[in-house]
Amino acid sequence: MAALFIASLVLTLALVHKPFGDYMYRVYTGDRHTPPERLVYRLIGVRPGTEQRWGAYARSLLAFSAVSLLVLYGLQRLQDRLWLSLGLPPVTDHIAWNTAVSFVTNTNWQAYAGESTMGHLVQMAGLAVQNFVSAAVGMAVAIALVRGFARRNTDTIGNFWVDLVRGAVRVLLPIAFVGALVLVAGGLVQNFAAPHELTTLTGGTQSVTGGPVASQEVIKELGTNGGGFYNANSAHPFENGTSWTNWFEILLILVIPFSLPRTFGKMVGQVRQGYAILAVMATIALVSVTLTNVFELGGGATVPQAVGAAMEGKEVRFGVADSATFAAATTLTSTGAVDSFHDSYTPFGGMMTMFNMMLGEVAPGGVGSGLYGMLVLAVITVFVAGLMVGRTPEYLGKKIGSREIKLASMYFLVTPILVLVGTALAMGNEAGLAGLLNGGPHGLSEVLYAFTSASNNNGSAFAGLTVNTPWYDVALGLCMLLGRFLPIIFVLGLAGSLARQTPVPESAGTLPTHRPQFVGMVVGVTVILVALTFLPALALGPIAEGLLS
């Protein structure tokens, strides 16, 4: 059944790759603006026919994100005065800061229990809106970088506001509408019910909150956002009711990131280049999904071997294999949603979820962020190959000079610095150590996972770590903020630099970047860079725990 579950996902993604990728190509390259889009442009005072240089594009993006952060923070702090608050008090200042940063950066890290902290209006007008627009921001940045490769002798890379609106209105909203109907058919709730008491099987009572769960769930997965309406996230039956809804949610997580390489190939005029990027993503993803399943089904620790399966922290509705596949999908992308608790995984199974994020979430990665992250790695690979043969590196006819490789290198270095420095600070002070549930290697793994998740804008967690404290809320919020916007600035700078160039004609010495050889090189460079960076930390955490268990 596990093989059938994975094979059906792969087949479905293969079937939608071309038509959906072509559709997104038409969305971002067409000249026509729909009536709703023209209305938005008038309201915000944007001239859609005007293009921007990379600096103006970046300033527009940062300004939009800053306003979004302030609005979301304000909604949480004023919650008790708002309609549909369900009588809940205002969110505390440090949790409101952390949550606002989390959702604006497409991380959706949650240091709170959703159903007992947020009212319906904050969930819908605050969190769900950011699920849409933060994903659209990532797609806009990816398209801007692709334009950098595709254009020549120009200072402009598009219009941020047009890319943002088109991504939200033409891509995310239609799929979210259809997907919500599918999930409602699968048993997810979509209402405005207030909390009410249910009688449990033991005769006690339990407070249950309804709400617009289905719509928030579908955009959570589609936009690779991990934030759930309920604390149990996609393990809750109101968020993920059956095995087939589990399959459908994984499909939503992967469909846009795995289709964007087709859009990239069409925009640069070489579809085979898109297939090469897709092959890199697929290779890493299949290896990761396989290893995660092997480690969890094998149950390497003592207790799982004794009981015959590593079922701790997993829903019996889904079982080990489907849960492991969901875990791999959610950490290979920037989703962060969970249908099982990663803290309960076997040491090496938990290590795989961390390693997926440490790769930079590029296989296939987040909505937009996966594509631009993979293209940066392709640039680094071309540079390394050029050094080996003594030629000026080129990618898609664009020279990779000192400016381009500096921007690519800074992009790569941001998240490792945030992860390792953040983990060291947490393990070196009392406020950080106070949140640990476990000591020894697993305690280190909890902290390492938290900073890896925050810095890579994932949002999942080893739930044993208590993070709803001022220290963790501030520290992880800063990691999310810097881990999102510093790489975006470097990517947009790279796009502007590439767009200004005159393409170099191919010659006998040009490295072919559409063949299996290049695919293997990008996979190798990606894995080696991450291994060299994070292996010491992994050796002290999950690897040591696995060898001791």
Side-chain angles (χ1 to χ4, degrees):
M1 288 300 292
L4 178 61
F5 187 90
I6 296 172
S8 60
L9 275 172
V10 172
L11 178 61
T12 305
L13 289 169
L15 290 174
V16 302
H17 170 78
K18 181 178 179 179
F20 190 34
D22 289 350
Y23 171 73
M24 288 191 286
Y25 164 75
R26 293 191 296 272
V27 166
Y28 287 107
T29 59
D31 296 326
R32 186 179 63 86
H33 305 289
T34 64
E37 291 167 358
R38 288 196 295 268
L39 175 61
V40 173
Y41 300 145
R42 283 198 295 270
L43 290 174
I44 62 177
V46 168
R47 291 181 292 176
T50 303
E51 294 217 340
Q52 298 171 308
R53 296 180 179 181
W54 82 264
Y57 199 104
R59 288 192 295 272
S60 298
L61 186 154
L62 293 174
F64 173 76
S65 299
V67 171
S68 297
L69 194 154
L70 291 173
V71 169
L72 184 51
Y73 180 84
L75 284 173
Q76 295 175 84
R77 296 291 287 151
L78 298 172
Q79 176 173 246
D80 60 327
R81 303 180 184 182
L82 299 176
W83 181 52
L84 294 176
S85 68
L86 305 181
L88 294 171
V91 181
T92 59
D93 53 359
H94 56 90
I95 292 182
W97 144 263
N98 184 275
T99 304
V101 170
S102 176
F103 279 76
V104 169
T105 59
N106 199 237
T107 308
N108 294 21
W109 171 276
Q110 292 178 284
Y112 60 91
E115 67 269 37
S116 61
T117 306
M118 305 290 184
H120 290 336
L121 186 66
V122 175
Q123 293 270 17
M124 294 186 301
L127 307 187
V129 167
Q130 288 305 315
N131 283 346
F132 278 98
V133 296
S134 65
V137 166
M139 295 170 70
V141 175
I143 296 301
L145 179 58
V146 175
R147 290 195 189 107
F149 285 110
R151 293 183 175 184
R152 61 178 65 189
N153 303 323
T154 181
D155 287 333
T156 61
I157 57 172
N159 185 307
F160 168 72
W161 304 104
V162 172
D163 293 338
L164 174 73
V165 172
R166 287 187 177 186
V169 172
R170 299 195 201 180
V171 179
L172 296 171
L173 269 172
I175 304 176
F177 179 79
V178 175
L181 295 178
V182 173
L183 291 180
V184 167
L188 276 70
V189 296
Q190 181 74 15
N191 58 35
F192 288 105
H196 57 282
E197 299 293 325
L198 289 182
T199 302
T200 65
L201 293 176
T202 58
T205 60
Q206 179 179 359
S207 179
V208 178
T209 305
V213 179
S215 55
Q216 187 165 339
E217 184 70 16
V218 71
I219 191 56
K220 170 183 100 176
E221 312 298 3
L222 182 63
T224 59
N225 315 120
F229 196 94
Y230 295 102
N231 188 43
N233 208 270
S234 290
H236 197 291
F238 283 2
E239 286 198 32
N240 191 1
T242 65
S243 180
W244 74 261
T245 61
N246 192 54
W247 181 93
F248 184 67
E249 290 185 13
I250 297 175
L251 177 65
L252 291 174
I253 290 171
L254 300 175
V255 64
I256 293 179
F258 266 129
S259 298
L260 275 172
R262 172 75 181 187
T263 308
F264 159 69
K266 292 277 287 186
M267 289 183 68
V268 299
Q270 300 182 53
V271 174
R272 60 187 183 177
Q273 297 289 348
Y275 285 134
I277 294 298
L278 176 65
V280 177
M281 292 177 171
T283 300
I284 296 174
L286 287 173
V287 171
S288 173
V289 170
T290 301
L291 288 177
T292 306
N293 271 276
V294 167
F295 291 139
E296 289 305 296
L297 290 169
T302 304
V303 173
Q305 288 179 344
V307 300
M311 277 300 295
E312 180 188 337
K314 298 181 178 68
E315 271 288 327
V316 293
R317 288 173 292 143
F318 309 137
V320 175
D322 292 4
S323 299
T325 301
F326 195 106
T330 197
T331 50
L332 283 166
T333 62
S334 65
T335 309
V338 294
D339 70 351
S340 57
F341 283 90
H342 298 178
D343 199 24
S344 297
Y345 274 39
T346 62
F348 292 118
M351 181 189 71
M352 285 305 304
T353 60
M354 265 191 278
F355 192 77
N356 290 340
M357 294 184 288
M358 291 170 176
L359 288 170
E361 297 173 339
V362 293
V367 171
S369 62
L371 177 61
Y372 66 68
M374 183 57 74
L375 291 177
V376 169
L377 287 168
V379 166
I380 294 174
T381 302
V382 168
F383 181 78
V384 172
L387 291 179
M388 290 191 291
V389 298
R391 286 183 57 88
T392 301
E394 305 164 10
Y395 186 51
L396 300 177
K398 301 297 181 72
K399 289 184 178 181
I400 308 303
S402 60
R403 175 178 172 81
E404 289 77 22
I405 195 60
K406 286 176 183 177
L407 289 167
S409 299
M410 288 189 290
Y411 173 95
F412 177 81
L413 290 173
V414 167
T415 48
I417 291 173
L418 293 174
V419 170
L420 296 177
V421 171
T423 301
L425 291 175
M427 297 300 293
N429 75 83
E430 293 183 2
L433 293 174
L436 293 179
L437 176 65
N438 300 278
H442 194 76
L444 173 61
S445 295
E446 290 178 346
V447 177
L448 180 62
Y449 193 110
F451 281 94
T452 301
S453 177
S455 302
N456 285 281
N457 302 131
N458 183 267
S460 63
F462 269 15
L465 181 67
T466 300
V467 292
N468 59 341
T469 63
W471 193 91
Y472 274 112
D473 282 335
V474 172
L476 293 174
L478 289 173
C479 285
M480 289 185 274
L481 204 63
L482 296 174
R484 173 70 164 180
F485 294 113
L486 284 180
I488 281 178
I489 292 171
F490 297 141
V491 166
L492 293 176
L494 178 61
S497 180
L498 293 170
R500 285 194 296 268
Q501 292 188 26
T502 300
V504 179
E506 288 190 13
S507 65
T510 301
L511 173 67
T513 55
H514 61 279
R515 296 178 180 173
Q517 174 194 28
F518 183 71
V519 171
M521 289 180 64
V522 178
V523 171
V525 167
T526 302
V527 174
I528 290 170
L529 284 175
V530 173
L532 290 174
T533 305
F534 291 107
L535 185 58
L538 291 172
L540 294 172
I543 294 177
E545 182 185 2
L547 295 175
L548 292 172
S549 60

